[in-house]
Amino acid sequence: MFLPYLGVLVAAVVVAANKMLDQCLSAKRQYAMNVVLLEDNTYAWSRPLVQAAVEQAIQRDREENIKYDFNFTLTANFNGFNTTFYNRQGCGSSTCEGVAILKMLHNKGEVGCVMLGPSCTFATFQLVDDVIGLSLSIPIISAGSFGLSCDYKPKLTRILPPARKISDMLSNFLMEVLPFKDQWEHVYVYKKFVDNATEDCFWYTNALEAPAANFAKQIKRQMLRTEDELTKALMSEERHSNIFILCGRLDDVVSVKAKVGPLHQDTVFLLLDIYNPEYYVNATSSQGMQDVLVVTLPKRNYDYGSALQFNDTINDYVAGYHDSALLFGKVLRERELSQRNKSNYRDSHDVPLSDNPFGNVSFLGMAGHYVLDEYGDRDVNFSIIYTSTKTGKYDTLLVFDTSCNKTIEMAHDPDLPWRGNRLPQDLPESLVGLSTQNVIVIVLSVSVVVVTAMALIFYRQNRKERQMQKKWSHISPHLIGPLDEKEVFLKVQS
């Protein structure tokens, strides 16, 4: 009953989004984009970094329009919210900020055609949720909004891979059997406290914890919530698993190792360092990364941005806002071309309104080649990197394609640092085989069962004898005596 209703609801919202794009074209709203973001200057997507990138994208889009003899140009209005004076700063205090900005734009008649941002999940959820979100809304393209609560929202397009892509990737990779890897079903997941975690890491690990998500249903994961819990698990001889999933930077791994000391040779760190391009800039492995598998994005396409003034501060969030503007310009241009072809050719067909305007789209941007799925969420080929024991450099072990949940082997004969040139099993050896202590416990248990069974047998026999004696208890003992064989024979004959 719920799914048909959901399908009707999604279709209605998608049609509304398409109509808003058509209205944007017909009303000549200066093709305005409202860019909503933090202004705290402490986040990777703060306004000073993003504004220059968006303005550069507008120029690139204008040059593309000239090729098709279109004379329209995108415009951008920048609207930020500053949480500097809040007790809890940053995304944690952004819940109502996006709603307030959108209401303000509506009251001023400056809603525009599309909203770029916000990146914070808390802010975006208030805008796009079907139950508590605004009935007044426009299409939103976000470089962020990673949380599961923002999944499958027709008004939302996410230009960076959301948490469900990470969750699905890990679920499939852990369970997969490869020439150098067995199936992994048991893992630890280290989830930092919200105030100590980056926006992406908080929501990525949150997806691994969520009981209703695929990861928790398929994988036996044990959550670690403090660094003390993490260090205790690493040192424990009876630990749950050899596999430790963390989200952060390599400094997080080095810091933990410094507190623990030498680790068991079967320990594997699976580090989610998605938005760190340093692995491609400096291929020499860092100290302490020998037992670490790194999950990151493929190599970026920042080369044409080398002449930009903000090139030193470029990152995936800034590139995401830049490429969001390119995506919006591309969709508008294709819409205009569709309208032009419809007027020139009688048999031509317009883009159907039931299609998500930003779904099933691919394009080139500053961060490389983008592929958006039917829901407008980005699919990527995640790279899984390891440190080669021969070269001491980072090398790509696997590539995981989220569009089909398929693992592609890149190193057919990898030089892995673990025993036997293979990734260890997920369970420690003490849990895989029977230890001496386990054997002793089993022997003692069997012994107790045997002794108990013998005692029951003797008890039953004695009980039977006592019952027989009770039958003759009314006869005096001196009257009872044995009969010789002749007496027994004569009595039987008579």
Side-chain angles (χ1 to χ4, degrees), residues 18-290:
N18 279 277
K19 287 184 177 179
M20 293 198 74
L21 290 179
D22 287 338
Q23 291 172 4
C24 178
L25 288 169
S26 60
K28 307 297 182 187
R29 296 189 196 172
Q30 296 182 327
Y31 310 101
M33 302 177 293
N34 279 296
V35 185
V36 179
L37 69 173
L38 288 171
E39 287 188 338
D40 295 355
N41 297 333
T42 57
Y43 279 74
W45 58 88
S46 296
R47 176 171 176 172
L49 305 178
V50 169
Q51 184 165 347
V54 172
E55 291 172 349
Q56 173 67 17
I58 290 175
Q59 178 60 27
R60 280 198 56 160
D61 183 74
R62 191 180 75 83
E63 295 171 357
E64 194 69 20
N65 285 336
I66 292 174
K67 298 178 183 179
Y68 295 92
D69 197 28
F70 290 143
N71 60 1
F72 68 85
T73 301
L74 303 180
T75 61
N77 301 316
F78 294 88
N79 302 274
F81 42 92
N82 195 325
T83 63
T84 302
F85 301 106
Y86 294 176
N87 289 330
R88 184 182 178 186
Q89 299 177 4
C91 282
S93 296
S94 67
T95 305
C96 299
E97 297 288 356
V99 174
I101 289 174
L102 188 55
K103 286 183 177 180
M104 179 267 295
L105 292 172
H106 175 65
N107 293 334
K108 295 170 62 176
E110 299 176 355
V111 173
C113 299
V114 71
M115 178 182 286
L116 304 189
S119 290
C120 301
T121 295
F122 287 135
T124 305
F125 174 73
Q126 300 294 326
L127 298 173
V128 300
D129 183 66
D130 298 324
V131 178
I132 68 172
L134 296 179
S135 58
L136 163 71
S137 188
I138 56 176
I140 297 174
I141 307 176
S142 174
S145 305
F146 304 107
L148 296 177
S149 59
C150 292
D151 284 350
Y152 312 118
K153 306 300 183 184
K155 294 175 286 188
L156 176 63
T157 296
R158 294 183 284 189
I159 209 79
L160 298 178
R164 71 180 178 90
K165 300 289 184 181
I166 297 289
S167 175
D168 291 345
M169 180 270 293
L170 289 175
S171 298
N172 285 274
F173 168 66
L174 294 177
M175 297 294 288
E176 197 158 11
V177 177
L178 300 168
F180 45 81
K181 174 190 170 294
D182 296 323
Q183 189 177 38
W184 288 347
E185 297 182 15
H186 303 77
V187 298
Y188 284 107
V189 177
Y190 176 43
K191 182 182 181 181
K192 291 183 179 180
F193 185 65
V194 60
D195 290 339
N196 298 325
T198 59
E199 176 71 359
D200 57 306
C201 279
F202 176 77
W203 294 109
Y204 286 162
T205 53
N206 184 75
L208 304 183
E209 180 185 21
N214 290 335
F215 186 85
K217 293 179 180 179
Q218 298 178 13
I219 305 298
K220 298 177 179 65
R221 84 281 188 272
Q222 184 169 322
M223 304 300 299
L224 305 172
R225 305 184 186 281
T226 65
E227 193 168 284
D228 287 341
E229 290 185 1
L230 175 59
T231 55
K232 289 179 181 178
L234 286 166
M235 294 185 293
S236 175
E237 295 182 357
E238 299 179 355
R239 62 191 190 189
H240 167 75
S241 173
N242 288 323
I243 317 302
F244 292 80
I245 300 177
L246 296 79
C247 185
R249 305 299 284 266
L250 58 89
D251 292 342
D252 295 317
V253 176
V254 174
S255 173
V256 170
K257 286 186 173 182
K259 296 181 180 180
V260 175
L263 295 173
H264 192 279
Q265 58 185 340
D266 289 339
T267 303
V268 180
F269 289 98
L270 194 56
L271 177 65
L272 305 178
D273 197 359
I274 307 299
Y275 303 108
N276 184 4
E278 292 296 325
Y279 301 101
Y280 304 105
V281 177
N282 182 9
T284 301
S285 178
S286 302
Q287 183 66 30
M289 295 293 288
Q290 287 69 30

Side-chain angles (χ1 to χ4, degrees), residues 273-327:
D273 197 359
I274 307 299
Y275 303 108
N276 184 4
E278 292 296 325
Y279 301 101
Y280 304 105
V281 177
N282 182 9
T284 301
S285 178
S286 302
Q287 183 66 30
M289 295 293 288
Q290 287 69 30
D291 51 5
V292 181
L293 295 178
V294 181
V295 181
T296 189
L297 287 176
K299 189 174 181 180
R300 291 20 165 220
N301 183 28
Y302 293 156
D303 24 341
Y304 77 80
S306 58
L308 300 177
Q309 296 178 356
F310 59 88
N311 187 59
D312 291 339
T313 56
I314 196 70
N315 57 65
D316 289 298
Y317 291 93
V318 173
Y321 275 92
H322 174 280
D323 297 339
S324 296
L326 291 185
L327 171 62

Side-chain angles (χ1 to χ4, degrees), residues 393-407:
K393 296 181 179 296
Y394 293 120
D395 198 1
T396 302
L397 179 65
L398 303 164
V399 167
F400 189 90
D401 185 354
T402 62
S403 66
C404 57
N405 286 331
K406 181 179 180 181
T407 300

